[in-house]
Each structure stands twice: as structure tokens, then as C-alpha cells.
Amino acid sequence: MTGGTRLSGPHWRRVVAALANKDARTVYAQIVLGAKLADVVADLNDQRRNRAIAALLESGLVERNAANELEASESIFRDLLTQQPRRQAQTGVARFMRLGRIDRYPANMAERRELLAWIASDAIEPGEHLTEKQVNERLLSYTDDVVMLRRYMIDFGLLERTPSGSSYSRPDKT
């Protein structure tokens, strides 16, 4: 269940929960390999074996056939994949980020400036004066190429460097 709404068919959380249980995983593997119910995990006590089978049935990983024998579902994974939501188009600077890091720089200069301005405001507080090493440490969370990012930020006027290069700060107006 998600958000109080019951999904029709199997749900990935139930499948993952069932497979996270060692007993259920072992029972599932034996069923997939064609073992008969009497032979499934013969070394488990009845309670553990029945609990594992119940979890597999509830998750949809196994089903009972016409002869009341357990068999692996042939459609479970296909059904789960059809439930996945479509990726929604990202907007703003998120289009150029992946997992919180720069995936690519926009070709459009206005969009590039927007991305760089967002990073500058996120990484450096107004009025804060940092050494080059401190700036690099902060920019490292956005990219491995901190030199290029820092250069872009200076070129776009989003980061200022003292003539000696000893201190960096955000300009009063960006």
C-alpha cells in the first residue's frame, strides 16, 4: 500500500520483503527449480516453511496451480514493471543534475548562468570569504572538476576572487 491506496496486482514492496527473508528466498529458489511441495525446504520446521510460503503467495511470487501445487509466477516481474510510474520531465536546474551533481552544463548561456547561480547560492553564503581550498571542497559535492566550475562561476560574475587569489566570495549583487 502506498499513500493509503491499495494497488491492484502485486506490489514491489511485498516482493522485496519476501525475497529479503532467507527462508522465503530459499523456498522460492526451490519452487523455481521445480521442487514439489513435500520436498521444499525439508530441513525447516513446518511453521517457518508455512510462513515463507505464505509470504511468497501474498507477494505474488508463487501461485497455486490447478493441482494445488506451488509454482513460480510467470508474470510477476512483468506486472511489477508495468506499475512503475513514468519519469516526469524535470524542470529548472534539476534538468542538468543527477543525484545532486552536475550531469552536464547547459549550452544555453542563460540556463548555464541559472545553474551556476543556484550552485553559488547553495554552496557559499553571502558575505562569506573562503580560501581556494574551502571553495574547492564545497564545489566538490557538485562536480569532480571543481576548477572548471569555479572558473565558470568567476566568468559569470557569481564568484569573486581577490587579486592575490587568497580569498573568494559571492559578489554583493548576482
Short mmCIF file of all heavy atoms in Angstrom, two decimals, residues 122-169:
data_model
loop_
_atom_site.label_atom_id
_atom_site.label_comp_id
_atom_site.label_asym_id
_atom_site.label_seq_id
_atom_site.Cartn_x
_atom_site.Cartn_y
_atom_site.Cartn_z
N ASP A 122 23.78 27.99 -3.12
CA ASP A 122 23.67 26.81 -2.27
C ASP A 122 24.96 26.52 -1.51
O ASP A 122 24.94 26.05 -0.38
CB ASP A 122 23.28 25.59 -3.14
CG ASP A 122 22.84 24.40 -2.32
OD1 ASP A 122 21.95 24.56 -1.46
OD2 ASP A 122 23.39 23.30 -2.55
N ALA A 123 26.11 26.82 -2.14
CA ALA A 123 27.40 26.44 -1.57
C ALA A 123 28.06 27.53 -0.74
O ALA A 123 28.83 27.23 0.17
CB ALA A 123 28.34 26.00 -2.70
N ILE A 124 27.77 28.79 -1.07
CA ILE A 124 28.50 29.89 -0.42
C ILE A 124 27.52 30.92 0.09
O ILE A 124 26.68 31.42 -0.65
CB ILE A 124 29.49 30.53 -1.42
CG1 ILE A 124 30.45 29.47 -1.96
CG2 ILE A 124 30.25 31.68 -0.76
CD1 ILE A 124 31.26 29.91 -3.15
N GLU A 125 27.64 31.25 1.35
CA GLU A 125 26.77 32.25 1.98
C GLU A 125 27.20 33.66 1.57
O GLU A 125 28.40 33.90 1.38
CB GLU A 125 26.83 32.13 3.51
CG GLU A 125 26.28 30.84 4.05
CD GLU A 125 24.79 30.67 3.81
OE1 GLU A 125 24.07 31.69 3.90
OE2 GLU A 125 24.37 29.55 3.53
N PRO A 126 26.25 34.59 1.44
CA PRO A 126 26.62 35.98 1.15
C PRO A 126 27.53 36.53 2.25
O PRO A 126 27.34 36.25 3.43
CB PRO A 126 25.28 36.72 1.14
CG PRO A 126 24.25 35.66 0.96
CD PRO A 126 24.81 34.41 1.55
N GLY A 127 28.55 37.26 1.83
CA GLY A 127 29.47 37.86 2.80
C GLY A 127 30.53 36.91 3.32
O GLY A 127 31.42 37.30 4.07
N GLU A 128 30.45 35.67 2.95
CA GLU A 128 31.42 34.67 3.40
C GLU A 128 32.68 34.75 2.54
O GLU A 128 32.61 34.82 1.32
CB GLU A 128 30.77 33.28 3.27
CG GLU A 128 31.51 32.17 3.90
CD GLU A 128 30.72 30.87 3.87
OE1 GLU A 128 29.88 30.67 2.97
OE2 GLU A 128 30.96 30.03 4.74
N HIS A 129 33.85 34.76 3.16
CA HIS A 129 35.13 34.79 2.46
C HIS A 129 35.82 33.46 2.67
O HIS A 129 36.04 33.04 3.82
CB HIS A 129 36.00 35.95 2.96
CG HIS A 129 35.39 37.28 2.64
ND1 HIS A 129 35.57 37.91 1.43
CD2 HIS A 129 34.59 38.09 3.37
CE1 HIS A 129 34.91 39.05 1.42
NE2 HIS A 129 34.29 39.19 2.60
N LEU A 130 36.16 32.80 1.57
CA LEU A 130 36.73 31.46 1.63
C LEU A 130 38.06 31.39 0.91
O LEU A 130 38.29 32.12 -0.07
CB LEU A 130 35.76 30.46 0.97
CG LEU A 130 34.34 30.40 1.50
CD1 LEU A 130 33.46 29.58 0.57
CD2 LEU A 130 34.33 29.82 2.89
N THR A 131 38.91 30.47 1.34
CA THR A 131 40.15 30.21 0.62
C THR A 131 39.81 29.36 -0.60
O THR A 131 38.71 28.79 -0.70
CB THR A 131 41.16 29.45 1.49
OG1 THR A 131 40.61 28.15 1.78
CG2 THR A 131 41.47 30.19 2.77
N GLU A 132 40.75 29.25 -1.52
CA GLU A 132 40.53 28.42 -2.70
C GLU A 132 40.25 26.97 -2.29
O GLU A 132 39.38 26.31 -2.86
CB GLU A 132 41.75 28.48 -3.63
CG GLU A 132 41.55 27.70 -4.92
CD GLU A 132 42.71 27.87 -5.88
OE1 GLU A 132 43.05 29.03 -6.19
OE2 GLU A 132 43.25 26.85 -6.32
N LYS A 133 40.98 26.50 -1.30
CA LYS A 133 40.78 25.13 -0.82
C LYS A 133 39.36 24.94 -0.29
O LYS A 133 38.71 23.93 -0.57
CB LYS A 133 41.81 24.80 0.26
CG LYS A 133 41.71 23.38 0.78
CD LYS A 133 42.75 23.08 1.83
CE LYS A 133 42.57 21.67 2.35
NZ LYS A 133 43.53 21.36 3.40
N GLN A 134 38.85 25.90 0.48
CA GLN A 134 37.49 25.81 1.02
C GLN A 134 36.45 25.83 -0.10
O GLN A 134 35.47 25.07 -0.06
CB GLN A 134 37.24 26.96 2.00
CG GLN A 134 38.01 26.85 3.28
CD GLN A 134 37.90 28.11 4.13
OE1 GLN A 134 37.95 29.23 3.62
NE2 GLN A 134 37.72 27.91 5.44
N VAL A 135 36.66 26.70 -1.10
CA VAL A 135 35.74 26.75 -2.24
C VAL A 135 35.75 25.41 -2.95
O VAL A 135 34.69 24.84 -3.27
CB VAL A 135 36.11 27.90 -3.21
CG1 VAL A 135 35.31 27.80 -4.50
CG2 VAL A 135 35.91 29.25 -2.55
N ASN A 136 36.93 24.87 -3.21
CA ASN A 136 37.04 23.58 -3.90
C ASN A 136 36.34 22.47 -3.13
O ASN A 136 35.66 21.63 -3.73
CB ASN A 136 38.51 23.22 -4.13
CG ASN A 136 39.17 24.09 -5.17
OD1 ASN A 136 38.50 24.83 -5.89
ND2 ASN A 136 40.48 24.03 -5.25
N GLU A 137 36.49 22.46 -1.82
CA GLU A 137 35.83 21.43 -1.01
C GLU A 137 34.32 21.51 -1.14
O GLU A 137 33.64 20.50 -1.24
CB GLU A 137 36.24 21.57 0.46
CG GLU A 137 37.65 21.12 0.74
CD GLU A 137 38.12 21.45 2.15
OE1 GLU A 137 37.38 22.10 2.92
OE2 GLU A 137 39.26 21.06 2.48
N ARG A 138 33.79 22.73 -1.15
CA ARG A 138 32.34 22.89 -1.27
C ARG A 138 31.84 22.53 -2.67
O ARG A 138 30.78 21.94 -2.82
CB ARG A 138 31.94 24.30 -0.91
CG ARG A 138 32.18 24.58 0.57
CD ARG A 138 31.54 25.83 1.00
NE ARG A 138 31.94 26.17 2.36
CZ ARG A 138 31.49 27.20 3.01
NH1 ARG A 138 30.62 28.02 2.41
NH2 ARG A 138 31.88 27.46 4.22
N LEU A 139 32.61 22.90 -3.69
CA LEU A 139 32.18 22.62 -5.07
C LEU A 139 32.33 21.15 -5.43
O LEU A 139 31.69 20.67 -6.36
CB LEU A 139 32.95 23.50 -6.05
CG LEU A 139 32.75 25.02 -5.91
CD1 LEU A 139 33.52 25.76 -6.98
CD2 LEU A 139 31.27 25.38 -5.93
N LEU A 140 33.15 20.43 -4.68
CA LEU A 140 33.37 19.00 -4.95
C LEU A 140 32.08 18.19 -4.82
O LEU A 140 31.93 17.16 -5.46
CB LEU A 140 34.45 18.45 -4.02
CG LEU A 140 34.99 17.07 -4.33
CD1 LEU A 140 35.55 17.03 -5.75
CD2 LEU A 140 36.07 16.69 -3.34
N SER A 141 31.14 18.68 -4.03
CA SER A 141 29.88 17.94 -3.91
C SER A 141 29.01 18.09 -5.17
O SER A 141 28.05 17.35 -5.34
CB SER A 141 29.10 18.39 -2.67
OG SER A 141 28.73 19.74 -2.78
N TYR A 142 29.38 19.02 -6.07
CA TYR A 142 28.60 19.23 -7.29
C TYR A 142 29.27 18.65 -8.53
O TYR A 142 28.61 18.37 -9.52
CB TYR A 142 28.35 20.72 -7.52
CG TYR A 142 27.61 21.37 -6.39
CD1 TYR A 142 28.30 22.06 -5.39
CD2 TYR A 142 26.24 21.25 -6.28
CE1 TYR A 142 27.64 22.63 -4.32
CE2 TYR A 142 25.56 21.83 -5.21
CZ TYR A 142 26.27 22.51 -4.23
OH TYR A 142 25.60 23.07 -3.18
N THR A 143 30.60 18.51 -8.49
CA THR A 143 31.34 18.01 -9.65
C THR A 143 32.74 17.59 -9.21
O THR A 143 33.24 18.06 -8.19
CB THR A 143 31.46 19.09 -10.75
OG1 THR A 143 32.13 18.54 -11.88
CG2 THR A 143 32.20 20.32 -10.27
N ASP A 144 33.37 16.73 -10.01
CA ASP A 144 34.76 16.37 -9.76
C ASP A 144 35.70 17.43 -10.33
O ASP A 144 36.82 17.58 -9.89
CB ASP A 144 35.09 15.00 -10.35
CG ASP A 144 34.40 13.88 -9.59
OD1 ASP A 144 34.17 14.04 -8.38
OD2 ASP A 144 34.10 12.84 -10.21
N ASP A 145 35.24 18.16 -11.36
CA ASP A 145 36.05 19.19 -12.00
C ASP A 145 35.76 20.54 -11.35
O ASP A 145 35.12 21.42 -11.94
CB ASP A 145 35.77 19.23 -13.50
CG ASP A 145 36.79 20.05 -14.27
OD1 ASP A 145 37.59 20.78 -13.64
OD2 ASP A 145 36.77 19.98 -15.52
N VAL A 146 36.25 20.72 -10.13
CA VAL A 146 35.97 21.95 -9.38
C VAL A 146 36.65 23.16 -10.01
O VAL A 146 36.15 24.28 -9.91
CB VAL A 146 36.36 21.83 -7.89
CG1 VAL A 146 35.50 20.81 -7.19
CG2 VAL A 146 37.82 21.51 -7.72
N VAL A 147 37.77 22.95 -10.69
CA VAL A 147 38.48 24.07 -11.31
C VAL A 147 37.61 24.69 -12.40
O VAL A 147 37.45 25.92 -12.47
CB VAL A 147 39.85 23.60 -11.88
CG1 VAL A 147 40.52 24.72 -12.67
CG2 VAL A 147 40.74 23.11 -10.76
N MET A 148 37.00 23.86 -13.24
CA MET A 148 36.14 24.39 -14.30
C MET A 148 34.90 25.07 -13.71
O MET A 148 34.53 26.16 -14.15
CB MET A 148 35.70 23.28 -15.27
CG MET A 148 34.86 23.82 -16.42
SD MET A 148 34.60 22.66 -17.77
CE MET A 148 33.58 21.46 -16.99
N LEU A 149 34.28 24.45 -12.71
CA LEU A 149 33.10 25.05 -12.09
C LEU A 149 33.44 26.39 -11.46
O LEU A 149 32.73 27.38 -11.64
CB LEU A 149 32.49 24.10 -11.06
CG LEU A 149 31.30 24.61 -10.27
CD1 LEU A 149 30.16 25.05 -11.18
CD2 LEU A 149 30.81 23.54 -9.29
N ARG A 150 34.54 26.44 -10.74
CA ARG A 150 34.96 27.69 -10.11
C ARG A 150 35.24 28.76 -11.17
O ARG A 150 34.83 29.90 -11.05
CB ARG A 150 36.21 27.44 -9.26
CG ARG A 150 36.57 28.60 -8.35
CD ARG A 150 37.82 28.33 -7.54
NE ARG A 150 38.98 28.25 -8.41
CZ ARG A 150 39.84 27.24 -8.46
NH1 ARG A 150 39.68 26.20 -7.67
NH2 ARG A 150 40.86 27.25 -9.29
N ARG A 151 35.89 28.38 -12.26
CA ARG A 151 36.19 29.31 -13.36
C ARG A 151 34.90 29.84 -13.98
O ARG A 151 34.76 31.04 -14.23
CB ARG A 151 37.04 28.59 -14.41
CG ARG A 151 37.38 29.41 -15.60
CD ARG A 151 38.63 30.25 -15.35
NE ARG A 151 38.25 31.61 -15.04
CZ ARG A 151 38.97 32.47 -14.33
NH1 ARG A 151 40.10 32.11 -13.82
NH2 ARG A 151 38.57 33.68 -14.11
N TYR A 152 33.93 28.93 -14.25
CA TYR A 152 32.64 29.36 -14.80
C TYR A 152 31.97 30.37 -13.86
O TYR A 152 31.42 31.37 -14.29
CB TYR A 152 31.69 28.18 -14.99
CG TYR A 152 31.90 27.37 -16.24
CD1 TYR A 152 31.46 26.04 -16.29
CD2 TYR A 152 32.49 27.88 -17.38
CE1 TYR A 152 31.61 25.27 -17.43
CE2 TYR A 152 32.64 27.12 -18.52
CZ TYR A 152 32.21 25.82 -18.54
OH TYR A 152 32.35 25.06 -19.67
N MET A 153 32.01 30.09 -12.56
CA MET A 153 31.36 30.97 -11.60
C MET A 153 32.02 32.35 -11.58
O MET A 153 31.33 33.37 -11.48
CB MET A 153 31.36 30.33 -10.21
CG MET A 153 30.47 29.08 -10.15
SD MET A 153 30.65 28.16 -8.63
CE MET A 153 29.57 29.07 -7.58
N ILE A 154 33.33 32.40 -11.72
CA ILE A 154 34.04 33.68 -11.79
C ILE A 154 33.70 34.39 -13.10
O ILE A 154 33.40 35.59 -13.11
CB ILE A 154 35.56 33.47 -11.62
CG1 ILE A 154 35.86 33.04 -10.18
CG2 ILE A 154 36.33 34.74 -11.99
CD1 ILE A 154 37.27 32.56 -9.95
N ASP A 155 33.73 33.65 -14.21
CA ASP A 155 33.43 34.24 -15.52
C ASP A 155 32.03 34.83 -15.58
O ASP A 155 31.81 35.85 -16.23
CB ASP A 155 33.60 33.21 -16.64
CG ASP A 155 35.05 32.82 -16.88
OD1 ASP A 155 35.95 33.52 -16.35
OD2 ASP A 155 35.29 31.81 -17.58
N PHE A 156 31.08 34.20 -14.91
CA PHE A 156 29.70 34.69 -14.91
C PHE A 156 29.45 35.74 -13.82
O PHE A 156 28.34 36.19 -13.65
CB PHE A 156 28.72 33.52 -14.76
CG PHE A 156 28.40 32.82 -16.04
CD1 PHE A 156 29.23 31.81 -16.52
CD2 PHE A 156 27.28 33.16 -16.78
CE1 PHE A 156 28.94 31.15 -17.71
CE2 PHE A 156 26.98 32.52 -17.97
CZ PHE A 156 27.82 31.52 -18.44
N GLY A 157 30.49 36.07 -13.07
CA GLY A 157 30.36 37.10 -12.04
C GLY A 157 29.62 36.63 -10.80
O GLY A 157 29.10 37.43 -10.03
N LEU A 158 29.57 35.32 -10.60
CA LEU A 158 28.86 34.76 -9.45
C LEU A 158 29.79 34.49 -8.27
O LEU A 158 29.35 34.21 -7.16
CB LEU A 158 28.16 33.46 -9.86
CG LEU A 158 27.14 33.64 -10.99
CD1 LEU A 158 26.75 32.30 -11.57
CD2 LEU A 158 25.93 34.38 -10.47
N LEU A 159 31.08 34.57 -8.55
CA LEU A 159 32.10 34.36 -7.54
C LEU A 159 33.22 35.35 -7.83
O LEU A 159 33.61 35.52 -8.99
CB LEU A 159 32.62 32.91 -7.62
CG LEU A 159 33.54 32.39 -6.54
CD1 LEU A 159 32.85 32.41 -5.17
CD2 LEU A 159 33.99 30.98 -6.85
N GLU A 160 33.69 36.02 -6.81
CA GLU A 160 34.79 36.97 -6.98
C GLU A 160 36.02 36.46 -6.28
O GLU A 160 35.93 35.80 -5.24
CB GLU A 160 34.40 38.33 -6.38
CG GLU A 160 33.32 39.04 -7.14
CD GLU A 160 32.94 40.38 -6.51
OE1 GLU A 160 33.21 40.59 -5.30
OE2 GLU A 160 32.36 41.20 -7.23
N ARG A 161 37.18 36.79 -6.88
CA ARG A 161 38.45 36.39 -6.30
C ARG A 161 39.27 37.65 -6.06
O ARG A 161 39.29 38.55 -6.91
CB ARG A 161 39.17 35.46 -7.27
CG ARG A 161 40.49 34.95 -6.76
CD ARG A 161 41.12 34.00 -7.72
NE ARG A 161 41.45 34.72 -8.95
CZ ARG A 161 41.94 34.17 -10.03
NH1 ARG A 161 42.14 32.88 -10.07
NH2 ARG A 161 42.23 34.89 -11.08
N THR A 162 39.91 37.71 -4.94
CA THR A 162 40.78 38.87 -4.68
C THR A 162 41.94 38.81 -5.68
O THR A 162 42.29 37.72 -6.17
CB THR A 162 41.34 38.85 -3.24
OG1 THR A 162 42.06 37.63 -3.03
CG2 THR A 162 40.24 38.99 -2.22
N PRO A 163 42.55 39.95 -6.01
CA PRO A 163 43.66 39.96 -6.97
C PRO A 163 44.79 39.00 -6.58
O PRO A 163 45.44 38.41 -7.43
CB PRO A 163 44.14 41.42 -6.98
CG PRO A 163 42.92 42.20 -6.59
CD PRO A 163 42.19 41.33 -5.62
N SER A 164 45.00 38.81 -5.30
CA SER A 164 46.07 37.90 -4.85
C SER A 164 45.65 36.44 -4.96
O SER A 164 46.48 35.54 -4.85
CB SER A 164 46.45 38.22 -3.41
OG SER A 164 45.36 37.90 -2.54
N GLY A 165 44.34 36.20 -5.14
CA GLY A 165 43.83 34.82 -5.22
C GLY A 165 43.71 34.16 -3.87
O GLY A 165 43.49 32.95 -3.79
N SER A 166 43.83 34.94 -2.80
CA SER A 166 43.81 34.36 -1.46
C SER A 166 42.41 34.19 -0.90
O SER A 166 42.21 33.47 0.07
CB SER A 166 44.63 35.23 -0.50
OG SER A 166 44.04 36.51 -0.41
N SER A 167 41.42 34.85 -1.52
CA SER A 167 40.07 34.79 -0.96
C SER A 167 39.02 34.84 -2.07
O SER A 167 39.20 35.54 -3.07
CB SER A 167 39.88 35.99 -0.01
OG SER A 167 38.59 35.98 0.53
N TYR A 168 37.95 34.09 -1.84
CA TYR A 168 36.82 34.04 -2.77
C TYR A 168 35.55 34.40 -2.00
O TYR A 168 35.42 34.05 -0.83
CB TYR A 168 36.64 32.64 -3.36
CG TYR A 168 37.73 32.23 -4.31
CD1 TYR A 168 38.94 31.75 -3.85
CD2 TYR A 168 37.53 32.31 -5.69
CE1 TYR A 168 39.94 31.35 -4.72
CE2 TYR A 168 38.52 31.90 -6.57
CZ TYR A 168 39.72 31.44 -6.09
OH TYR A 168 40.70 31.05 -6.95
N SER A 169 34.64 35.08 -2.68
CA SER A 169 33.34 35.39 -2.05
C SER A 169 32.30 35.62 -3.14
O SER A 169 32.65 35.81 -4.32
CB SER A 169 33.47 36.65 -1.18
OG SER A 169 33.81 37.77 -1.96
#
